Amino acid sequence: ARIVAADDAPDPSGPGGIEIDVTAGFGTEPADVPEPLRLATLMLVASWFEARGDDTAPGVAAVPPAARELLALFTRRRLA
């Protein structure tokens, strides 16, 4: 990704700093999201629901292996 300042953008070092607007995703409709991502999301939410009330640290929840495999299809890999 690349960030380019608009011609009329204020000086970012001045008062108020900068504001960045980002457009991301696959579209505005649920059908725009690929089926594997929708299924992985359902699996993840179901896992959270099933584990509600469990004595785990806040924000710590394992991603189900099947959901992890579906999400891996959309993971960009790169060499460090």
Side-chain angles (χ1 to χ4, degrees):
R2 190 172 64 138
I3 298 175
V4 179
D7 292 335
D8 61 346
D11 178 10
S13 62
I18 61 172
E19 178 179 324
I20 300 174
D21 291 323
V22 177
T23 302
F26 292 95
T28 58
E29 300 297 320
D32 295 334
V33 178
E35 183 65 23
L37 287 180
R38 287 189 278 156
L39 184 56
T41 301
L42 289 173
M43 290 176 172
L44 187 55
V45 172
S47 172
W48 290 340
F49 182 78
E50 291 172 3
R52 69 190 184 285
D54 288 355
D55 196 20
T56 58
V60 176
V63 176
R68 188 180 307 276
E69 289 178 21
L70 290 170
L71 295 171
L73 299 171
F74 298 90
T75 302
R76 292 186 182 187
R77 308 253 184 233
R78 67 179 189 171
L79 300 175

